[in-house]
Structures are given as C-alpha cells and as structure tokens.
Coordinates of all heavy atoms in Angstrom, one line a residue:
M1 N 9.8 -154.2 -151.5 CA 10.2 -153.4 -150.4 C 10.0 -151.9 -150.9 O 10.4 -151.5 -152.0 CB 11.6 -153.7 -150.1 CG 12.1 -152.8 -148.9 SD 13.7 -153.3 -148.4 CE 14.8 -152.3 -149.4
K2 N 9.4 -151.1 -150.0 CA 9.2 -149.7 -150.3 C 10.5 -149.0 -150.2 O 11.3 -149.3 -149.3 CB 8.2 -149.1 -149.3 CG 6.8 -149.6 -149.5 CD 5.8 -149.1 -148.4 CE 5.6 -147.6 -148.5 NZ 4.6 -147.2 -147.4
S3 N 10.6 -148.0 -151.0 CA 11.8 -147.1 -150.9 C 11.7 -146.3 -149.6 O 10.6 -146.0 -149.1 CB 11.8 -146.2 -152.1 OG 12.8 -145.2 -151.9
I4 N 12.9 -146.0 -149.1 CA 12.9 -145.3 -147.8 C 12.3 -143.9 -148.0 O 11.7 -143.3 -147.0 CB 14.3 -145.2 -147.3 CG1 14.3 -144.7 -145.8 CG2 15.2 -144.3 -148.1 CD1 15.7 -144.8 -145.1
F5 N 12.3 -143.3 -149.2 CA 11.8 -142.0 -149.4 C 10.2 -142.0 -149.5 O 9.6 -141.0 -149.5 CB 12.4 -141.4 -150.7 CG 13.8 -141.2 -150.6 CD1 14.7 -142.0 -151.3 CD2 14.4 -140.3 -149.7 CE1 16.1 -141.9 -151.2 CE2 15.7 -140.1 -149.6 CZ 16.6 -140.9 -150.3
L6 N 9.6 -143.2 -149.7 CA 8.2 -143.3 -149.8 C 7.5 -143.6 -148.5 O 6.3 -143.8 -148.4 CB 7.8 -144.3 -150.9 CG 8.3 -144.0 -152.3 CD1 7.9 -145.1 -153.2 CD2 7.7 -142.6 -152.7
Q7 N 8.3 -143.7 -147.4 CA 7.7 -144.1 -146.1 C 7.2 -142.9 -145.4 O 7.7 -141.8 -145.5 CB 8.7 -144.8 -145.3 CG 9.1 -146.2 -145.8 CD 10.2 -146.9 -145.0 OE1 10.6 -146.3 -144.0 NE2 10.6 -148.1 -145.4
T8 N 6.2 -143.1 -144.6 CA 5.5 -142.0 -143.8 C 6.5 -141.4 -142.8 O 6.6 -140.2 -142.7 CB 4.3 -142.5 -143.1 OG1 3.4 -143.1 -144.0 CG2 3.6 -141.4 -142.4
N9 N 7.3 -142.2 -142.2 CA 8.2 -141.7 -141.2 C 9.3 -140.7 -141.8 O 9.7 -139.7 -141.2 CB 9.0 -142.8 -140.4 CG 8.1 -143.5 -139.4 OD1 7.0 -143.0 -139.1 ND2 8.5 -144.7 -139.0
T10 N 9.7 -141.0 -143.0 CA 10.6 -140.1 -143.7 C 10.0 -138.8 -144.0 O 10.6 -137.7 -143.8 CB 11.1 -140.8 -145.0 OG1 11.7 -142.1 -144.7 CG2 12.2 -140.0 -145.6
A11 N 8.7 -138.8 -144.4 CA 8.0 -137.6 -144.7 C 7.8 -136.7 -143.5 O 8.0 -135.5 -143.5 CB 6.7 -137.9 -145.4
I12 N 7.5 -137.4 -142.4 CA 7.3 -136.7 -141.1 C 8.6 -136.1 -140.6 O 8.7 -135.0 -140.2 CB 6.7 -137.7 -140.0 CG1 5.3 -138.2 -140.4 CG2 6.7 -137.0 -138.7 CD1 4.3 -137.1 -140.6
W13 N 9.7 -136.9 -140.8 CA 11.0 -136.4 -140.4 C 11.4 -135.2 -141.2 O 11.9 -134.2 -140.7 CB 12.1 -137.5 -140.5 CG 13.4 -137.0 -140.2 CD1 14.0 -136.9 -139.0 CD2 14.4 -136.5 -141.2 NE1 15.3 -136.4 -139.1 CE2 15.5 -136.1 -140.5 CE3 14.4 -136.3 -142.6 CZ2 16.7 -135.6 -141.1 CZ3 15.5 -135.8 -143.2 CH2 16.6 -135.5 -142.4
A14 N 11.1 -135.2 -142.5 CA 11.4 -134.1 -143.3 C 10.6 -132.8 -143.0 O 11.1 -131.7 -142.9 CB 11.2 -134.4 -144.8
L15 N 9.4 -133.0 -142.6 CA 8.5 -131.9 -142.2 C 9.0 -131.4 -140.8 O 9.0 -130.1 -140.7 CB 7.1 -132.4 -142.0 CG 6.0 -131.4 -141.7 CD1 6.0 -130.3 -142.8 CD2 4.7 -132.1 -141.6
L16 N 9.5 -132.2 -139.9 CA 10.1 -131.7 -138.7 C 11.3 -130.9 -138.9 O 11.6 -129.9 -138.3 CB 10.4 -132.9 -137.7 CG 9.2 -133.6 -137.1 CD1 9.6 -134.9 -136.5 CD2 8.5 -132.7 -136.1
A17 N 12.2 -131.4 -139.8 CA 13.4 -130.7 -140.2 C 13.1 -129.3 -140.8 O 13.7 -128.3 -140.5 CB 14.3 -131.5 -141.1
L18 N 12.1 -129.3 -141.7 CA 11.6 -128.0 -142.3 C 11.1 -127.0 -141.2 O 11.4 -125.9 -141.2 CB 10.6 -128.3 -143.4 CG 10.1 -127.1 -144.1 CD1 11.2 -126.4 -144.9 CD2 8.9 -127.5 -145.0
A19 N 10.3 -127.5 -140.3 CA 9.7 -126.7 -139.2 C 10.8 -126.2 -138.3 O 10.8 -125.0 -137.9 CB 8.7 -127.5 -138.4
T20 N 11.8 -127.0 -138.0 CA 12.9 -126.6 -137.2 C 13.7 -125.5 -137.9 O 14.1 -124.5 -137.3 CB 13.9 -127.8 -136.9 OG1 13.1 -128.8 -136.2 CG2 15.1 -127.4 -136.1
T21 N 14.0 -125.6 -139.2 CA 14.7 -124.6 -140.0 C 13.9 -123.3 -140.0 O 14.4 -122.2 -139.8 CB 14.9 -125.1 -141.4 OG1 15.6 -126.4 -141.3 CG2 15.7 -124.1 -142.2
L22 N 12.6 -123.4 -140.2 CA 11.7 -122.2 -140.2 C 11.7 -121.5 -138.9 O 11.9 -120.3 -138.8 CB 10.3 -122.6 -140.6 CG 9.3 -121.5 -140.5 CD1 9.6 -120.4 -141.6 CD2 7.9 -122.0 -140.8
S23 N 11.6 -122.2 -137.7 CA 11.6 -121.6 -136.4 C 13.0 -121.0 -136.1 O 13.1 -119.9 -135.5 CB 11.2 -122.5 -135.3 OG 12.0 -123.6 -135.2
W24 N 14.1 -121.6 -136.6 CA 15.4 -121.1 -136.4 C 15.6 -119.8 -137.2 O 16.1 -118.8 -136.7 CB 16.5 -122.1 -136.8 CG 17.9 -121.6 -136.9 CD1 18.7 -121.4 -135.8 CD2 18.6 -121.1 -138.0 NE1 19.9 -120.9 -136.3 CE2 19.8 -120.7 -137.6 CE3 18.2 -121.1 -139.4 CZ2 20.8 -120.2 -138.5 CZ3 19.2 -120.6 -140.3 CH2 20.4 -120.1 -139.8
Y25 N 15.1 -119.8 -138.4 CA 15.2 -118.6 -139.2 C 14.4 -117.5 -138.6 O 14.8 -116.3 -138.6 CB 14.7 -118.9 -140.7 CG 14.8 -117.7 -141.6 CD1 16.0 -117.2 -142.0 CD2 13.6 -117.1 -141.9 CE1 16.0 -116.1 -142.8 CE2 13.6 -116.0 -142.8 CZ 14.8 -115.5 -143.2 OH 14.9 -114.4 -144.0
M26 N 13.2 -117.8 -138.1 CA 12.3 -116.8 -137.5 C 13.0 -116.2 -136.3 O 12.9 -115.0 -136.0 CB 11.0 -117.4 -137.1 CG 10.1 -117.6 -138.3 SD 8.5 -118.4 -137.9 CE 7.8 -117.1 -137.0
G27 N 13.7 -117.0 -135.5 CA 14.4 -116.5 -134.3 C 15.6 -115.7 -134.6 O 16.0 -114.8 -133.8
S28 N 16.2 -115.9 -135.7 CA 17.5 -115.2 -136.1 C 17.2 -113.9 -136.8 O 18.0 -113.0 -136.8 CB 18.4 -116.0 -136.9 OG 17.8 -116.3 -138.2
D29 N 16.0 -113.7 -137.3 CA 15.6 -112.5 -138.0 C 14.7 -111.7 -137.1 O 13.6 -112.1 -136.8 CB 14.9 -112.9 -139.3 CG 14.7 -111.6 -140.2 OD1 15.1 -110.5 -139.9 OD2 14.0 -111.8 -141.3
A30 N 15.1 -110.4 -136.8 CA 14.3 -109.6 -135.9 C 13.0 -109.3 -136.4 O 12.0 -109.1 -135.7 CB 15.1 -108.3 -135.6
A31 N 12.8 -109.1 -137.7 CA 11.5 -108.8 -138.3 C 10.5 -109.9 -138.2 O 9.3 -109.7 -138.2 CB 11.7 -108.4 -139.8
L32 N 11.0 -111.2 -138.2 CA 10.1 -112.3 -138.1 C 10.1 -113.0 -136.7 O 9.5 -114.0 -136.6 CB 10.6 -113.4 -139.1 CG 10.5 -113.1 -140.6 CD1 11.1 -114.2 -141.4 CD2 9.1 -112.8 -141.0
N33 N 10.6 -112.3 -135.7 CA 10.6 -112.9 -134.4 C 9.3 -112.7 -133.7 O 9.0 -111.7 -133.0 CB 11.7 -112.2 -133.6 CG 12.0 -113.0 -132.3 OD1 11.3 -113.9 -132.0 ND2 13.0 -112.5 -131.6
I34 N 8.4 -113.6 -134.0 CA 7.0 -113.6 -133.5 C 6.9 -114.8 -132.5 O 6.7 -115.9 -133.0 CB 6.0 -113.7 -134.6 CG1 6.3 -112.6 -135.7 CG2 4.6 -113.6 -134.1 CD1 5.5 -112.8 -137.0
P35 N 6.9 -114.5 -131.2 CA 6.8 -115.6 -130.3 C 5.6 -116.6 -130.4 O 5.8 -117.8 -130.3 CB 6.8 -114.9 -128.9 CG 7.4 -113.6 -129.2 CD 7.0 -113.2 -130.6
A36 N 4.5 -116.0 -130.7 CA 3.3 -116.9 -130.8 C 3.4 -117.8 -132.0 O 3.1 -119.0 -131.9 CB 2.0 -116.0 -131.0
A37 N 3.9 -117.4 -133.1 CA 4.1 -118.2 -134.3 C 5.2 -119.3 -134.0 O 5.0 -120.5 -134.4 CB 4.5 -117.4 -135.5
M38 N 6.2 -118.9 -133.3 CA 7.3 -119.9 -133.0 C 6.7 -120.9 -132.0 O 7.1 -122.1 -132.1 CB 8.5 -119.2 -132.4 CG 9.1 -118.3 -133.5 SD 10.4 -117.2 -132.8 CE 11.7 -118.4 -132.5
L39 N 5.9 -120.6 -131.1 CA 5.3 -121.5 -130.2 C 4.3 -122.5 -130.9 O 4.3 -123.7 -130.6 CB 4.5 -120.8 -129.0 CG 5.4 -120.3 -127.9 CD1 4.6 -119.4 -127.0 CD2 6.0 -121.4 -127.1
L40 N 3.6 -121.9 -131.9 CA 2.7 -122.8 -132.7 C 3.5 -123.8 -133.5 O 3.1 -125.0 -133.6 CB 1.9 -121.9 -133.6 CG 0.7 -121.2 -133.0 CD1 0.1 -120.2 -134.0 CD2 -0.3 -122.1 -132.4
I41 N 4.6 -123.4 -134.0 CA 5.5 -124.3 -134.7 C 6.0 -125.4 -133.8 O 6.1 -126.6 -134.1 CB 6.6 -123.6 -135.4 CG1 6.1 -122.7 -136.6 CG2 7.7 -124.6 -136.0 CD1 7.1 -121.8 -137.2
A42 N 6.5 -125.0 -132.6 CA 7.0 -125.9 -131.6 C 5.9 -127.0 -131.2 O 6.2 -128.2 -131.1 CB 7.5 -125.2 -130.4
F43 N 4.7 -126.5 -131.0 CA 3.7 -127.5 -130.6 C 3.2 -128.3 -131.8 O 2.8 -129.5 -131.6 CB 2.5 -126.8 -129.9 CG 2.8 -126.6 -128.4 CD1 3.4 -125.4 -127.9 CD2 2.6 -127.6 -127.5 CE1 3.7 -125.3 -126.6 CE2 2.9 -127.5 -126.2 CZ 3.4 -126.3 -125.7
F44 N 3.3 -127.8 -133.0 CA 3.0 -128.6 -134.2 C 4.0 -129.8 -134.3 O 3.7 -130.9 -134.5 CB 3.0 -127.8 -135.4 CG 2.9 -128.5 -136.7 CD1 1.7 -129.1 -137.0 CD2 4.0 -128.7 -137.5 CE1 1.5 -129.9 -138.2 CE2 3.8 -129.4 -138.7 CZ 2.6 -130.0 -139.0
K45 N 5.3 -129.4 -134.0 CA 6.3 -130.4 -134.0 C 6.1 -131.5 -132.9 O 6.3 -132.7 -133.1 CB 7.7 -129.8 -133.9 CG 8.1 -129.0 -135.1 CD 9.4 -128.2 -134.9 CE 10.5 -128.8 -134.1 NZ 11.6 -128.0 -133.9
T46 N 5.7 -131.0 -131.7 CA 5.4 -131.9 -130.6 C 4.3 -132.8 -131.0 O 4.4 -134.0 -130.7 CB 5.1 -131.1 -129.4 OG1 6.1 -130.2 -129.1 CG2 4.8 -131.9 -128.2
R47 N 3.3 -132.3 -131.6 CA 2.1 -133.1 -132.0 C 2.6 -134.2 -133.0 O 2.2 -135.4 -132.9 CB 1.0 -132.3 -132.6 CG -0.2 -133.1 -132.9 CD -1.2 -132.3 -133.7 NE -2.4 -133.1 -134.0 CZ -2.5 -134.0 -135.0 NH1 -1.5 -134.1 -135.8 NH2 -3.6 -134.7 -135.2
L48 N 3.4 -133.8 -134.0 CA 3.9 -134.8 -134.9 C 4.6 -135.9 -134.2 O 4.5 -137.1 -134.6 CB 4.7 -134.2 -136.0 CG 4.0 -133.3 -137.0 CD1 5.1 -132.7 -138.0 CD2 3.1 -134.2 -137.8
V49 N 5.5 -135.6 -133.3 CA 6.3 -136.6 -132.6 C 5.4 -137.5 -131.8 O 5.5 -138.7 -131.8 CB 7.4 -135.9 -131.7 CG1 8.0 -136.9 -130.8 CG2 8.4 -135.3 -132.6
I50 N 4.5 -136.9 -131.0 CA 3.6 -137.7 -130.2 C 2.7 -138.6 -131.0 O 2.6 -139.8 -130.7 CB 2.7 -136.8 -129.3 CG1 3.6 -136.2 -128.2 CG2 1.6 -137.6 -128.7 CD1 2.9 -135.1 -127.4
M51 N 2.1 -138.1 -132.1 CA 1.2 -138.9 -132.9 C 1.9 -140.0 -133.7 O 1.4 -141.1 -133.8 CB 0.3 -138.0 -133.8 CG -0.6 -137.2 -133.0 SD -1.8 -138.2 -132.2 CE -2.4 -137.1 -131.0
H52 N 3.0 -139.6 -134.3 CA 3.6 -140.6 -135.3 C 4.7 -141.4 -134.7 O 4.8 -142.6 -134.9 CB 4.1 -139.8 -136.5 CG 2.9 -139.2 -137.3 ND1 2.1 -139.9 -138.1 CD2 2.5 -137.9 -137.3 CE1 1.2 -139.1 -138.6 NE2 1.4 -137.9 -138.1
F53 N 5.7 -140.8 -134.0 CA 6.8 -141.6 -133.5 C 6.5 -142.3 -132.2 O 7.1 -143.3 -131.9 CB 8.0 -140.7 -133.4 CG 8.5 -140.2 -134.8 CD1 8.4 -138.9 -135.2 CD2 9.0 -141.1 -135.7 CE1 8.9 -138.5 -136.4 CE2 9.4 -140.7 -137.0 CZ 9.4 -139.4 -137.3
M54 N 5.6 -141.7 -131.4 CA 5.2 -142.4 -130.2 C 3.9 -143.3 -130.5 O 3.4 -143.9 -129.6 CB 4.9 -141.4 -129.1 CG 6.2 -140.7 -128.7 SD 5.9 -139.4 -127.5 CE 5.5 -140.3 -126.0
E55 N 3.4 -143.2 -131.7 CA 2.3 -144.0 -132.2 C 1.1 -143.9 -131.4 O 0.3 -144.8 -131.2 CB 2.8 -145.5 -132.3 CG 3.9 -145.7 -133.3 CD 4.2 -147.1 -133.6 OE1 3.6 -148.0 -132.9 OE2 5.1 -147.4 -134.4
V56 N 0.8 -142.7 -131.0 CA -0.5 -142.4 -130.3 C -1.6 -142.4 -131.2 O -2.8 -142.6 -130.9 CB -0.4 -141.1 -129.4 CG1 -1.7 -140.7 -128.8 CG2 0.7 -141.3 -128.4
N57 N -1.3 -142.2 -132.5 CA -2.4 -142.2 -133.5 C -3.1 -143.6 -133.7 O -4.1 -143.7 -134.2 CB -1.9 -141.7 -134.9 CG -0.7 -142.4 -135.4 OD1 -0.2 -143.3 -134.7 ND2 -0.4 -142.2 -136.7
H58 N -2.4 -144.6 -133.1 CA -3.0 -146.0 -133.2 C -3.5 -146.4 -131.8 O -4.0 -147.5 -131.6 CB -1.9 -147.0 -133.6 CG -1.4 -146.8 -135.0 ND1 -2.2 -146.8 -136.1 CD2 -0.2 -146.4 -135.4 CE1 -1.5 -146.5 -137.2 NE2 -0.2 -146.3 -136.8
A59 N -3.5 -145.5 -130.8 CA -3.9 -145.7 -129.5 C -5.4 -145.5 -129.4 O -6.1 -145.0 -130.3 CB -3.2 -144.8 -128.5
P60 N -6.0 -146.0 -128.2 CA -7.5 -145.7 -128.1 C -7.8 -144.2 -128.1 O -6.9 -143.4 -127.8 CB -7.7 -146.3 -126.7 CG -6.6 -147.3 -126.4 CD -5.4 -146.8 -127.2
V61 N -9.0 -144.0 -128.4 CA -9.5 -142.6 -128.6 C -9.3 -141.7 -127.4 O -8.9 -140.6 -127.5 CB -11.0 -142.6 -129.0 CG1 -11.5 -141.2 -129.1 CG2 -11.2 -143.3 -130.3
G62 N -9.4 -142.3 -126.2 CA -9.3 -141.5 -125.0 C -7.8 -141.0 -124.8 O -7.7 -139.8 -124.5
L63 N -6.9 -141.8 -125.1 CA -5.5 -141.4 -125.0 C -5.1 -140.3 -126.1 O -4.5 -139.3 -125.8 CB -4.5 -142.5 -125.2 CG -3.0 -142.2 -125.1 CD1 -2.7 -141.6 -123.7 CD2 -2.2 -143.5 -125.3
R64 N -5.7 -140.5 -127.3 CA -5.5 -139.5 -128.3 C -6.1 -138.2 -127.9 O -5.4 -137.1 -128.1 CB -6.1 -140.0 -129.7 CG -5.3 -141.1 -130.3 CD -5.7 -141.2 -131.8 NE -7.1 -141.3 -132.0 CZ -7.7 -142.3 -132.5 NH1 -7.1 -143.4 -132.8 NH2 -9.0 -142.3 -132.7
L65 N -7.3 -138.2 -127.4 CA -7.9 -136.9 -127.0 C -7.1 -136.2 -125.8 O -7.0 -135.0 -125.8 CB -9.3 -137.2 -126.6 CG -10.3 -137.5 -127.7 CD1 -11.7 -137.9 -127.1 CD2 -10.4 -136.4 -128.7
I66 N -6.6 -137.0 -124.9 CA -5.8 -136.4 -123.8 C -4.6 -135.8 -124.4 O -4.2 -134.7 -124.0 CB -5.5 -137.5 -122.8 CG1 -6.8 -137.9 -122.0 CG2 -4.4 -137.1 -121.8 CD1 -6.6 -139.1 -121.1
C67 N -3.9 -136.5 -125.3 CA -2.7 -135.9 -125.9 C -3.0 -134.6 -126.7 O -2.2 -133.6 -126.6 CB -2.0 -136.9 -126.8 SG -1.2 -138.3 -125.8
E68 N -4.1 -134.6 -127.5 CA -4.4 -133.4 -128.2 C -4.8 -132.3 -127.3 O -4.4 -131.2 -127.5 CB -5.6 -133.8 -129.2 CG -5.3 -134.8 -130.2 CD -4.5 -134.2 -131.4 OE1 -4.1 -133.0 -131.4 OE2 -4.2 -135.0 -132.3
A69 N -5.6 -132.6 -126.3 CA -6.0 -131.6 -125.3 C -4.8 -131.0 -124.6 O -4.7 -129.8 -124.4 CB -7.0 -132.1 -124.3
W70 N -3.8 -131.8 -124.2 CA -2.6 -131.4 -123.5 C -1.9 -130.4 -124.4 O -1.5 -129.3 -124.0 CB -1.7 -132.5 -123.2 CG -0.4 -132.1 -122.7 CD1 -0.1 -131.7 -121.4 CD2 0.8 -131.9 -123.4 NE1 1.2 -131.3 -121.3 CE2 1.8 -131.4 -122.5 CE3 1.2 -132.1 -124.8 CZ2 3.1 -131.2 -123.0 CZ3 2.4 -131.8 -125.2 CH2 3.4 -131.4 -124.3
G71 N -1.7 -130.7 -125.7 CA -1.0 -129.8 -126.6 C -1.7 -128.5 -126.8 O -1.1 -127.4 -126.8
I72 N -3.0 -128.5 -126.9 CA -3.8 -127.3 -127.1 C -3.8 -126.4 -125.9 O -3.6 -125.2 -126.0 CB -5.3 -127.6 -127.5 CG1 -5.3 -128.3 -128.9 CG2 -6.2 -126.4 -127.5 CD1 -6.6 -128.9 -129.3
V73 N -4.0 -127.0 -124.7 CA -4.0 -126.2 -123.5 C -2.6 -125.6 -123.2 O -2.5 -124.4 -122.8 CB -4.5 -127.1 -122.3 CG1 -4.3 -126.4 -120.9 CG2 -6.0 -127.5 -122.5
C74 N -1.6 -126.4 -123.3 CA -0.2 -125.9 -123.0 C 0.1 -124.8 -124.0 O 0.7 -123.7 -123.6 CB 0.8 -127.0 -123.1 SG 0.7 -128.1 -121.7
C75 N -0.1 -125.0 -125.3 CA 0.2 -124.0 -126.3 C -0.6 -122.7 -126.1 O 0.0 -121.6 -126.1 CB -0.1 -124.5 -127.7 SG 0.5 -123.4 -129.0
A76 N -1.9 -122.8 -125.8 CA -2.7 -121.7 -125.5 C -2.2 -120.9 -124.3 O -2.2 -119.7 -124.3 CB -4.2 -122.1 -125.4
A77 N -1.9 -121.6 -123.2 CA -1.5 -121.0 -122.0 C -0.2 -120.3 -122.2 O 0.0 -119.1 -121.7 CB -1.3 -122.1 -120.9
L78 N 0.8 -120.8 -122.9 CA 2.0 -120.2 -123.2 C 1.9 -118.9 -124.1 O 2.5 -117.9 -123.9 CB 3.1 -121.1 -123.8 CG 3.7 -122.1 -122.8 CD1 4.5 -123.1 -123.6 CD2 4.5 -121.4 -121.8
I79 N 1.0 -119.0 -125.1 CA 0.8 -117.9 -126.0 C 0.1 -116.7 -125.2 O 0.5 -115.6 -125.3 CB -0.1 -118.3 -127.2 CG1 0.7 -119.1 -128.1 CG2 -0.7 -117.1 -127.9 CD1 0.0 -119.7 -129.3
V80 N -0.8 -117.1 -124.3 CA -1.4 -116.0 -123.5 C -0.4 -115.4 -122.5 O -0.4 -114.2 -122.3 CB -2.6 -116.6 -122.6 CG1 -3.1 -115.7 -121.6 CG2 -3.8 -116.9 -123.6
L81 N 0.5 -116.2 -122.0 CA 1.5 -115.7 -121.1 C 2.5 -114.8 -121.8 O 3.1 -113.8 -121.3 CB 2.3 -116.8 -120.4 CG 1.5 -117.5 -119.3 CD1 2.3 -118.7 -118.9 CD2 1.2 -116.6 -118.2
Y82 N 2.8 -115.0 -123.1 CA 3.7 -114.3 -123.9 C 3.1 -113.1 -124.6 O 3.8 -112.3 -125.3 CB 4.5 -115.2 -124.9 CG 5.6 -115.9 -124.2 CD1 5.5 -117.2 -123.9 CD2 6.8 -115.2 -123.9 CE1 6.6 -117.9 -123.3 CE2 7.9 -115.9 -123.3 CZ 7.7 -117.2 -123.0 OH 8.8 -117.8 -122.4
L83 N 1.8 -112.9 -124.6 CA 1.2 -111.8 -125.2 C 1.7 -110.5 -124.6 O 1.8 -110.4 -123.4 CB -0.3 -111.9 -125.1 CG -1.0 -112.8 -126.0 CD1 -2.5 -112.8 -125.8 CD2 -0.8 -112.5 -127.5
P84 N 2.0 -109.5 -125.4 CA 2.4 -108.2 -124.8 C 1.2 -107.6 -124.0 O 0.1 -107.6 -124.4 CB 2.8 -107.4 -126.0 CG 2.2 -108.0 -127.2 CD 1.9 -109.5 -126.8
S85 N 1.6 -107.0 -122.9 CA 0.5 -106.4 -122.1 C 0.3 -105.0 -122.3 O 1.0 -104.3 -123.0 CB 0.9 -106.6 -120.6 OG 2.2 -106.3 -120.3

C-alpha cells in the first residue's frame, strides 16, 4: 500500500493549498496586489481541480481541449477586463 504522502492527489491538494495561501497573501499586501497574477493563480487552481479531481485528464481528447480552451478564454477575458485603462 502506498503512503498517503506519495499519492498524486495529496501532492495536488498541497499545491492547491500553497496557491491559495499565495493568492491570500497577495490580496492582503498592497504592494503585491496584482489582479492579473491573482486571476492566473485562480485559473491554475481551477485547471488542477478540473483535470485531476474531476478526472478530465483521463477523458477523450475533445473534452480535454474544451476544458483547456474554456479556462484560457475565461482567464484572458477577465484579465483584459481588469487591465487599467
């Protein structure tokens, strides 16, 4: 039996917790409050959840491409909307 610390899901969960802590720290510090970077972190976390915990990484290629395209388009649209004018 594999140790719980050697499983992929545990590593992904730890990465999600680290990304959450990083975005929380960035939001609380005025010098690091960069909306585009925070959105990129949020969509990176979304991608991890979709691919690993919803197991889209084992789905057919078409579904994987749709999920990847959705993340890229939504993230890019939000970043463009939040750019200072």
Side-chain angles (χ1 to χ4, degrees):
M1 182 171 89
K2 286 172 75 175
S3 171
I4 192 168
F5 297 109
L6 298 177
Q7 294 180 359
T8 305
N9 286 344
T10 306
I12 298 297
W13 177 84
L15 189 58
L16 287 168
L18 180 66
T20 300
T21 304
L22 176 63
S23 61
W24 172 79
Y25 179 72
M26 288 177 68
S28 66
D29 188 4
L32 293 176
N33 194 354
I34 306 166
M38 294 171 71
L39 280 170
L40 286 174
I41 292 171
F43 275 96
F44 173 71
K45 289 170 43 179
T46 302
R47 184 187 181 280
L48 285 177
V49 169
I50 289 172
M51 290 297 159
H52 295 283
F53 293 112
M54 296 175 70
E55 297 186 357
V56 174
N57 56 350
H58 299 297
V61 176
L63 180 61
R64 285 195 314 242
L65 289 176
I66 289 171
C67 290
E68 295 283 0
W70 172 83
I72 292 169
V73 168
C74 288
C75 186
L78 285 173
I79 288 174
V80 167
L81 288 172
Y82 278 104
L83 283 177
S85 47

